[in-house]
Amino acid sequence: MQDKKTLTFMGNGSCFNVDFGNNAAYHINAQEKSMLLIDCGEAIFERIRKQKILENIKELNILITHLHSDHAGSLSSLLFFCKYGCGIMPTVIYPEKDVMNQYLTLLGNESQDYQLITPEEFTKYKIRGTKQVHSIAAYGYVLEIKEKKIYYSGDTKEVPEFIIKAFRGGKLDEFYQDVSRYETPAHMNVEALSKLFSKEERSKITCMHFDDEITRQKAQCLGFDISKVREYKALER
């Protein structure tokens, strides 16, 4: 089931889970040699470099859910590498352009070295942002990629009602939800999530952003699909 998913996970751990790596996913259009990366936490740039993911990529688009370091901590390094290491002009996608510009400026990135746009301004894929319940400003996204409609929660305490309605109405092809085994004001408790959906529905929801192996196993035992980290396979030149 997971092999057929539109998104590939580079990491699927929470901020303290160094074994699973920062939660981040991507989609590559092999024909166009373009990549959409969702989030770029502290460990993600290192994984991109070690797996040589950008070696044959001509277009890089980076969608950020929020500015916690496990989701945006190596974005600055990735932008520097695009400029000096591979000659790509990346596009950063975030709903609050002023906030993102200030963040990157403080880290030394120059605005002429990347394009900064909102989800609504992105034209390759249709992206709709939705504000999430988190400890800081955070966004989830509904994306339309390759005729698939995808919900990606980012970090959130709740599942928006319109997402539940769309899911039950058969209008979502893929549903990715962050979970925690703890009760926190920032993430969806996995047991609370299970009470929102039937066992049949749970098998169609992919959990991510695990605290640890116990959280992953708990989500699996409750009948949810599990995000799996996969090594990148290079595109043919």
Side-chain angles (χ1 to χ4, degrees):
M1 181 177 180
Q2 185 72 16
D3 290 334
K4 298 179 181 178
K5 295 292 178 66
T6 306
L7 300 180
T8 300
F9 279 80
M10 201 175 301
N12 61 0
S14 67
C15 59
F16 301 139
N17 189 347
V18 295
D19 293 326
F20 287 20
N22 300 140
N23 199 84
Y26 66 91
H27 170 74
I28 289 179
N29 184 319
Q31 185 175 0
E32 297 181 3
K33 297 184 179 180
S34 67
M35 175 178 179
L36 175 68
L37 172 66
I38 306 177
D39 282 339
C40 191
E42 301 115 323
I44 296 304
F45 174 64
E46 180 179 354
R47 292 193 176 199
I48 289 172
R49 289 286 288 122
K50 285 184 175 179
Q51 295 180 35
K52 299 181 180 179
I53 295 178
L54 295 182
E55 197 170 76
N56 204 29
I57 294 296
K58 305 300 181 185
E59 176 187 335
L60 176 62
N61 303 294
I62 310 160
L63 179 63
I64 299 296
T65 62
H66 63 293
L67 295 179
H68 272 150
S69 61
D70 61 316
H71 291 262
S74 69
L75 173 60
S76 176
S77 295
L78 178 57
L79 297 182
F80 278 128
F81 180 72
C82 285
K83 178 180 180 179
Y84 296 108
C86 55
I88 295 174
M89 169 68 83
T91 296
V92 179
I93 309 163
Y94 189 69
E96 300 179 57
K97 290 166 75 172
D98 290 344
V99 173
M100 179 60 75
N101 185 60
Q102 183 180 21
Y103 172 77
L104 292 173
T105 298
L106 286 170
L107 293 171
N109 298 101
E110 297 180 349
S111 59
Q112 67 266 27
D113 296 330
Y114 59 89
Q115 182 182 18
L116 177 58
I117 61 174
T118 65
E120 293 75 19
E121 293 172 324
F122 190 59
T123 56
K124 179 176 284 290
Y125 307 117
K126 187 176 180 180
I127 303 176
R128 174 186 175 187
T130 180
K131 271 205 165 184
Q132 303 290 53
V133 180
H134 194 49
S135 54
I136 63 170
Y139 296 87
Y141 296 105
V142 177
L143 309 96
E144 294 183 26
I145 302 174
K146 294 176 63 178
E147 299 181 351
K148 295 285 186 72
K149 200 162 188 177
I150 301 162
Y151 170 64
Y152 189 93
S153 73
D155 284 5
T156 184
K157 170 70 172 175
E158 300 176 359
V159 182
E161 284 297 326
F162 82 93
I163 290 297
I164 296 175
K165 185 177 179 180
F167 174 69
R168 290 194 168 135
K171 296 180 180 179
L172 287 179
D173 298 294
E174 297 175 25
F175 186 149
Y176 299 90
Q177 178 66 47
D178 65 302
V179 293
S180 175
R181 65 187 170 101
Y182 305 106
E183 283 287 350
T184 79
H187 297 285
M188 187 79 213
N189 176 268
V190 67
E191 291 185 358
L193 183 67
S194 72
K195 292 174 183 177
L196 291 176
F197 300 99
S198 68
K199 190 171 183 180
E200 182 182 358
E201 289 174 326
R202 288 176 220 161
S203 66
K204 301 173 185 176
I205 298 171
T206 303
C207 289
M208 60 183 186
H209 203 277
F210 302 116
D211 305 308
D212 46 31
E213 179 60 22
I214 295 172
T215 309
R216 191 193 71 81
Q217 289 183 4
K218 197 166 195 176
Q220 195 165 33
C221 286
L222 287 167
F224 291 104
D225 186 28
I226 302 300
S227 60
K228 299 175 180 66
V229 177
R230 301 192 183 280
E231 287 289 317
Y232 168 73
K233 292 182 180 179
L235 301 174
E236 292 184 6
R237 293 187 180 276

